[in-house]
Amino acid sequence: MANPGKNDDAGNTTASSKQVLSRKSYIGKTNNIEQELKRLQTTEYVKDYKPLIEREIVQVIGADNNANDNELESKNNDKDESDNKDDKISFNMMTFNTLADGLSGAHVQSKTFVHADNACLEYEYRGFRLIEEITRFMPDVITCQEVDRIEFFKHYLSPFGYKYIHTTKPQSACCRIGKGVNLDLPPDGSVVFWNSKVFALVKSYKFSKRDDRNAPKEIRNLACAVAHLRHKQNKNKEIMIAATHLKADYSLKSEKQRLMQLCYLFPSLQKLSKENNNVPLFIGLDFNAMDKSLGSFFPYSYQSLMNGKYLLKRLNKFVNKEDDNIETEEKDDNELNDGEKNIKAYNFGDDEDMAKTVIDILKERGYEYNYGLDLKSAYCYGEYKGKKKGINPSFTCTLGGQHCIDFIFFEPKKDIKITHLLTTPKAQEMYKPDW
């Protein structure tokens, strides 16, 4: 079982293992982000300083017109509505891979991240812009990945009332990169922030090889932070927020790794939710895999979470051709969702060895369809002007092309409704690879 988090004197939750301290904190003279941003515009960065891309929170089509101006509205099933006439809560949730300082390339002169200027990757500049992006929307809950400067985040977010649970990767590449350039860089990891004016912490959990002695070696560098929260105004309402980051790289080898990580983590999250009165689960995740096939790459991991039954049916059709027990009857295309259509269109016969490997990985680990969960992507579930329902953003990452690999997952069958979404930038709006 994962270790519960340990609370420090400030009420924040910190990793149980000793953190490596960097020689440079990047923290400014104040804890006021507006003052720091004004100061930043008087430094050497001023000539390249650009405003953040304009985005807005918009109401999704079909949402209740009387809903609050928030992204996710939650209503639990386990309470009688007569107990509370206003038996609903609403809250904003953001997920954000912040790009670890140690992984950005800013400390390695021969390498930069996506060929961006080294200067714009420096945390003296970029760290403050990250805080600016978060605080301009003031989400009630934030899940972040690749956070290696946790003290920086704590310093600038705590004045707004944010507390957190943070856990680091057991073998963070940040530390390895630091050793190569004689710098003592801290490890990166996943973190859940919550606004303590809105939510109170019930309990925290951490999942990794370091935090869970029973975790299999095959999950490697997985690190997941979980916060079980209770709404302060409506104390009947609780939610569970998880932040994590799966294995990187768009390769079949990495797909195997992601499948193993999912087989360990997601049933564990499902069990946690069930043990706590089936509390609604929300997951902010850098999946590192697209939601649809791209050339010879097929997202087995994503589809095992979204459309596991149909995926296994199609895989078995190609691998176990002689097995009369395999169901072969196909649905009509108009009966398939977009994910199932993507599965049906892919020729697994061209990749039969991988198809067999996927079946073996899932079978050996007692796979239950969709890992026992019924999760949906928030952006895929919502529709607004310019964005159709059933489609994720066109991209959340520009490394190696434009791909959608970051998601907020939720459980609609627990009467969770998407009411608003934050618009995503258009490709032509991106200052790539710029400031």
Side-chain angles (χ1 to χ4, degrees), residues 108-311:
V108 186
Q109 293 184 1
S110 61
K111 177 185 176 183
T112 60
F113 190 81
V114 204
H115 309 294
D117 287 347
N118 260 9
C120 76
L121 295 171
E122 292 173 358
Y123 229 72
E124 290 96 333
Y125 171 84
R126 191 168 66 88
F128 295 104
R129 303 309 301 270
L130 290 173
I131 301 297
E132 180 187 9
E133 174 69 8
I134 291 172
T135 56
R136 68 168 169 161
F137 298 112
M138 293 302 296
D140 300 310
V141 175
I142 315 160
T143 57
C144 291
Q145 302 82 28
E146 291 194 23
V147 176
D148 56 348
R149 300 291 176 178
I150 189 61
E151 292 301 320
F152 184 92
F153 276 79
K154 176 183 175 181
H155 185 80
Y156 289 104
L157 290 180
S158 60
F160 296 99
Y162 287 106
K163 296 184 179 181
Y164 67 91
I165 163 73
H166 179 228
T167 189
T168 55
K169 297 175 183 176
Q171 296 177 314
S172 171
C174 295
C175 301
R176 186 171 63 251
I177 290 170
K179 288 180 181 179
V181 291
N182 295 318
L183 288 177
D184 194 13
L185 298 178
D188 73 303
S190 299
V191 57
V192 177
F193 293 98
W194 65 91
N195 190 328
S196 62
K197 299 173 186 177
V198 180
F199 289 104
L201 178 67
V202 177
K203 197 172 184 179
S204 62
Y205 304 87
K206 300 170 185 177
F207 293 92
S208 73
K209 285 196 300 181
R210 180 187 57 249
D211 298 308
D212 183 359
R213 293 182 179 179
N214 297 320
K217 293 181 179 179
E218 62 202 22
I219 70 167
R220 295 182 184 270
N221 234 3
L222 180 74
C224 177
V226 182
H228 181 180
L229 305 173
R230 178 179 294 124
H231 198 265
K232 283 195 168 181
Q233 283 193 331
N234 191 334
K235 293 181 171 58
N236 289 331
K237 298 305 175 188
E238 297 179 0
I239 58 175
M240 189 168 284
I241 308 292
T244 193
H245 190 184
L246 300 187
K247 170 67 177 174
D249 186 40
Y250 310 139
S251 69
L252 294 179
K253 181 180 179 181
S254 293
E255 270 295 275
K256 297 175 189 177
Q257 192 67 54
R258 284 188 284 269
L259 282 168
M260 294 176 187
Q261 290 176 333
L262 288 171
C263 284
Y264 161 72
L265 180 60
F266 277 51
S268 300
L269 296 177
Q270 189 265 355
K271 182 181 178 183
L272 266 187
S273 171
K274 189 174 181 180
E275 290 174 346
N276 289 277
N277 297 318
N278 214 27
V279 59
L281 178 65
F282 299 83
I283 304 173
L285 170 64
D286 182 340
F287 216 117
N288 269 317
M290 294 79 80
D291 59 345
K292 54 180 68 72
S293 56
L294 178 68
S296 62
F297 173 83
F298 184 83
Y300 294 93
S301 55
Y302 183 90
Q303 294 296 358
S304 72
L305 178 62
M306 295 288 103
N307 300 288
K309 183 176 181 179
Y310 191 74
L311 173 66

